[in-house]
Amino acid sequence: MVVYVLSKSGKKLMPTRRFGKVRKLLKTGKARVISRRPFAIQLLYDTTEYVQDITVGIDPGKTIGFAIINKQAGKVIQKGEIRLRDDISRLLRQRAEYRRSRRYRKTRYRKPRFLNRRRPENWLPPSVRARLEHTVEWIKRLTMFLPENAQVVVEIAKFDIQKIQNPNISGEEYQRGKLYGYENVKQYLIARENGRCQLCGKGYDGNGWHIHHIIPRSEGGSDRPDNLALLHKKCHEKLHKNFTRYSKKLKRPAVYKELAYLNMYRKLLINKLKEFFGDKVIFTYGAKTVIQRHNLGLPRAYYNNALAMTGIKSIQDISELTVIRQVRKKKRSLHEATPRKGRKTPNREAKRNNKNTKEVILKDGRKWSLWDKVKVGGQVGFISGFTGNSYAYVQDMEGDYIRMPGKTYKQVSLKQAKLIKRNNNWIEIKKAA
Ligand SMILES: [Zn+2]
Ligand SMILES: [Zn+2]
């Protein structure tokens, strides 16, 4: 938790963690609340408007890592991660499949459409588009109450494609020694191969990746990615023991399928952020971030990447981590395709929306909605579904069910629950890092 502060004249000041002081200011009428989420107050008395340098690091992706730091003081103000939904394209594909199959049955269906498929310029698959827009919105939101001079650092790619294609490119960015080049190429290969070994086809085994030159350097093979293969340590050793046999298996890989969309996503992300932040936003690469994170001695995590890319040299860390997760508030399926829990056959008799319950009102008048943050049985969680008239399923942030003490079933009585907070599409917790 962090409290954002505005001066009497409306200038954005340094955020604070001195909650005692904030409480006192609010109580004595020396400040007023101007926003609840995020929590911001405005001072009602004259103060100096001095601010220090703030840098915000952003590691975009399915999970967005973020860190807000005070570079001068070497202090972390806030850090955390935002987990975006990644089930939507699967659900859309599933919906299309259900519609298709309904057309062959005597049941309500939606006519197929095929004349409305022209793609506008800058088209992105909806999943990529959504990720782009959420990323931009969250960066704006995280910075909305920060001092005007705050800088934003965004990692736009794991590797620098320019550097890959032209390893001899010069400039300050590239004079970072062997490790930078190595990390850069490695990240690229991992992306190209979808994290799979090119010899055995299996995923990461925990022993580090080896980069193999398909045409050996000694025979004039280049460092270009076309000539590089991503291998397990074990497989690499195997290959060199029986070179003639195994080296035939390595062929030039196909072009990374998603690359075009990723490039478009990157281009749009850069444009949108530049438009909003002007020269206060700078862009960096994952290969560089990894080295910065190693230098700080931080373990691998999205928020640590975000922390590292701010360029902070030493840190007084906070132990608190903010975790935000995107959830779905609506379910609009027309029929039950697979039996829901506890049934042997799908329920095809129920009214079409009956099972898409979004809220429940108890006899005592208390209303409960999906994803309400609740305390039940001494634990805190979020309502993920309803069952019966007064029972719900409650999950923690990781999606594990919260049960009543000593019980094996997942149903939790809402009569015994206490509402902490209502939520929209985003649920949030603070936890120890
Ligand atoms: Zn392997
Ligand atoms: Zn080799």
PDB file of all heavy atoms in Angstrom, residues 370-382:
ATOM      1  N   LEU A 370     -19.886 -11.782  -7.738  1.00  0.00           N
ATOM      2  CA  LEU A 370     -18.685 -12.515  -8.122  1.00  0.00           C
ATOM      3  C   LEU A 370     -17.441 -11.694  -7.805  1.00  0.00           C
ATOM      4  O   LEU A 370     -17.427 -10.483  -8.008  1.00  0.00           O
ATOM      5  CB  LEU A 370     -18.704 -12.806  -9.621  1.00  0.00           C
ATOM      6  CG  LEU A 370     -19.376 -14.085 -10.100  1.00  0.00           C
ATOM      7  CD1 LEU A 370     -19.185 -14.214 -11.599  1.00  0.00           C
ATOM      8  CD2 LEU A 370     -18.806 -15.306  -9.392  1.00  0.00           C
ATOM      9  N   TRP A 371     -16.450 -12.340  -7.311  1.00  0.00           N
ATOM     10  CA  TRP A 371     -15.135 -11.760  -7.022  1.00  0.00           C
ATOM     11  C   TRP A 371     -15.121 -10.760  -5.881  1.00  0.00           C
ATOM     12  O   TRP A 371     -14.165 -10.018  -5.710  1.00  0.00           O
ATOM     13  CB  TRP A 371     -14.477 -11.172  -8.286  1.00  0.00           C
ATOM     14  CG  TRP A 371     -14.325 -12.228  -9.315  1.00  0.00           C
ATOM     15  CD1 TRP A 371     -15.048 -12.351 -10.458  1.00  0.00           C
ATOM     16  CD2 TRP A 371     -13.450 -13.361  -9.273  1.00  0.00           C
ATOM     17  NE1 TRP A 371     -14.675 -13.485 -11.126  1.00  0.00           N
ATOM     18  CE2 TRP A 371     -13.689 -14.121 -10.420  1.00  0.00           C
ATOM     19  CE3 TRP A 371     -12.486 -13.818  -8.346  1.00  0.00           C
ATOM     20  CZ2 TRP A 371     -13.025 -15.306 -10.687  1.00  0.00           C
ATOM     21  CZ3 TRP A 371     -11.815 -14.986  -8.618  1.00  0.00           C
ATOM     22  CH2 TRP A 371     -12.083 -15.724  -9.775  1.00  0.00           C
ATOM     23  N   ASP A 372     -16.199 -10.747  -5.078  1.00  0.00           N
ATOM     24  CA  ASP A 372     -16.140  -9.977  -3.830  1.00  0.00           C
ATOM     25  C   ASP A 372     -15.001 -10.539  -2.993  1.00  0.00           C
ATOM     26  O   ASP A 372     -14.809 -11.754  -2.913  1.00  0.00           O
ATOM     27  CB  ASP A 372     -17.442 -10.153  -3.025  1.00  0.00           C
ATOM     28  CG  ASP A 372     -18.556  -9.277  -3.570  1.00  0.00           C
ATOM     29  OD1 ASP A 372     -18.261  -8.412  -4.418  1.00  0.00           O
ATOM     30  OD2 ASP A 372     -19.706  -9.466  -3.134  1.00  0.00           O
ATOM     31  N   LYS A 373     -14.256  -9.631  -2.378  1.00  0.00           N
ATOM     32  CA  LYS A 373     -13.203 -10.071  -1.456  1.00  0.00           C
ATOM     33  C   LYS A 373     -13.860 -10.319  -0.110  1.00  0.00           C
ATOM     34  O   LYS A 373     -14.528  -9.430   0.424  1.00  0.00           O
ATOM     35  CB  LYS A 373     -12.147  -8.970  -1.335  1.00  0.00           C
ATOM     36  CG  LYS A 373     -10.881  -9.413  -0.613  1.00  0.00           C
ATOM     37  CD  LYS A 373      -9.873  -8.282  -0.610  1.00  0.00           C
ATOM     38  CE  LYS A 373      -8.530  -8.734  -0.073  1.00  0.00           C
ATOM     39  NZ  LYS A 373      -7.567  -7.616  -0.083  1.00  0.00           N
ATOM     40  N   VAL A 374     -13.708 -11.526   0.413  1.00  0.00           N
ATOM     41  CA  VAL A 374     -14.407 -11.881   1.653  1.00  0.00           C
ATOM     42  C   VAL A 374     -13.463 -12.521   2.662  1.00  0.00           C
ATOM     43  O   VAL A 374     -12.405 -13.035   2.306  1.00  0.00           O
ATOM     44  CB  VAL A 374     -15.571 -12.872   1.385  1.00  0.00           C
ATOM     45  CG1 VAL A 374     -16.652 -12.220   0.558  1.00  0.00           C
ATOM     46  CG2 VAL A 374     -15.064 -14.139   0.729  1.00  0.00           C
ATOM     47  N   LYS A 375     -13.873 -12.452   3.919  1.00  0.00           N
ATOM     48  CA  LYS A 375     -13.156 -13.175   4.955  1.00  0.00           C
ATOM     49  C   LYS A 375     -14.083 -14.285   5.422  1.00  0.00           C
ATOM     50  O   LYS A 375     -15.231 -14.032   5.787  1.00  0.00           O
ATOM     51  CB  LYS A 375     -12.812 -12.243   6.117  1.00  0.00           C
ATOM     52  CG  LYS A 375     -11.908 -12.903   7.135  1.00  0.00           C
ATOM     53  CD  LYS A 375     -11.281 -11.895   8.064  1.00  0.00           C
ATOM     54  CE  LYS A 375     -10.243 -12.585   8.927  1.00  0.00           C
ATOM     55  NZ  LYS A 375      -9.556 -11.656   9.818  1.00  0.00           N
ATOM     56  N   VAL A 376     -13.566 -15.503   5.409  1.00  0.00           N
ATOM     57  CA  VAL A 376     -14.395 -16.627   5.815  1.00  0.00           C
ATOM     58  C   VAL A 376     -13.500 -17.691   6.451  1.00  0.00           C
ATOM     59  O   VAL A 376     -12.416 -17.971   5.950  1.00  0.00           O
ATOM     60  CB  VAL A 376     -15.210 -17.167   4.603  1.00  0.00           C
ATOM     61  CG1 VAL A 376     -14.321 -17.754   3.544  1.00  0.00           C
ATOM     62  CG2 VAL A 376     -16.266 -18.144   5.048  1.00  0.00           C
ATOM     63  N   GLY A 377     -13.966 -18.216   7.580  1.00  0.00           N
ATOM     64  CA  GLY A 377     -13.158 -19.219   8.288  1.00  0.00           C
ATOM     65  C   GLY A 377     -11.759 -18.728   8.608  1.00  0.00           C
ATOM     66  O   GLY A 377     -10.800 -19.495   8.569  1.00  0.00           O
ATOM     67  N   GLY A 378     -11.616 -17.450   8.867  1.00  0.00           N
ATOM     68  CA  GLY A 378     -10.320 -16.889   9.232  1.00  0.00           C
ATOM     69  C   GLY A 378      -9.398 -16.651   8.046  1.00  0.00           C
ATOM     70  O   GLY A 378      -8.258 -16.247   8.207  1.00  0.00           O
ATOM     71  N   GLN A 379      -9.896 -16.916   6.820  1.00  0.00           N
ATOM     72  CA  GLN A 379      -9.060 -16.714   5.633  1.00  0.00           C
ATOM     73  C   GLN A 379      -9.684 -15.668   4.709  1.00  0.00           C
ATOM     74  O   GLN A 379     -10.889 -15.446   4.744  1.00  0.00           O
ATOM     75  CB  GLN A 379      -8.916 -18.034   4.874  1.00  0.00           C
ATOM     76  CG  GLN A 379      -8.297 -19.137   5.699  1.00  0.00           C
ATOM     77  CD  GLN A 379      -8.575 -20.498   5.088  1.00  0.00           C
ATOM     78  OE1 GLN A 379      -7.842 -20.971   4.241  1.00  0.00           O
ATOM     79  NE2 GLN A 379      -9.663 -21.131   5.507  1.00  0.00           N
ATOM     80  N   VAL A 380      -8.817 -15.098   3.863  1.00  0.00           N
ATOM     81  CA  VAL A 380      -9.306 -14.088   2.935  1.00  0.00           C
ATOM     82  C   VAL A 380      -9.245 -14.635   1.515  1.00  0.00           C
ATOM     83  O   VAL A 380      -8.263 -15.258   1.124  1.00  0.00           O
ATOM     84  CB  VAL A 380      -8.457 -12.799   3.036  1.00  0.00           C
ATOM     85  CG1 VAL A 380      -8.851 -11.816   1.945  1.00  0.00           C
ATOM     86  CG2 VAL A 380      -8.658 -12.152   4.409  1.00  0.00           C
ATOM     87  N   GLY A 381     -10.338 -14.434   0.775  1.00  0.00           N
ATOM     88  CA  GLY A 381     -10.364 -14.921  -0.598  1.00  0.00           C
ATOM     89  C   GLY A 381     -11.395 -14.175  -1.424  1.00  0.00           C
ATOM     90  O   GLY A 381     -11.924 -13.149  -0.986  1.00  0.00           O
ATOM     91  N   PHE A 382     -11.656 -14.716  -2.607  1.00  0.00           N
ATOM     92  CA  PHE A 382     -12.563 -14.050  -3.549  1.00  0.00           C
ATOM     93  C   PHE A 382     -13.637 -15.041  -3.991  1.00  0.00           C
ATOM     94  O   PHE A 382     -13.332 -16.203  -4.271  1.00  0.00           O
ATOM     95  CB  PHE A 382     -11.784 -13.561  -4.764  1.00  0.00           C
ATOM     96  CG  PHE A 382     -10.647 -12.637  -4.416  1.00  0.00           C
ATOM     97  CD1 PHE A 382      -9.375 -13.139  -4.161  1.00  0.00           C
ATOM     98  CD2 PHE A 382     -10.859 -11.272  -4.307  1.00  0.00           C
ATOM     99  CE1 PHE A 382      -8.324 -12.294  -3.834  1.00  0.00           C
ATOM    100  CE2 PHE A 382      -9.824 -10.416  -3.973  1.00  0.00           C
ATOM    101  CZ  PHE A 382      -8.552 -10.925  -3.736  1.00  0.00           C
TER     102      PHE A 382
END
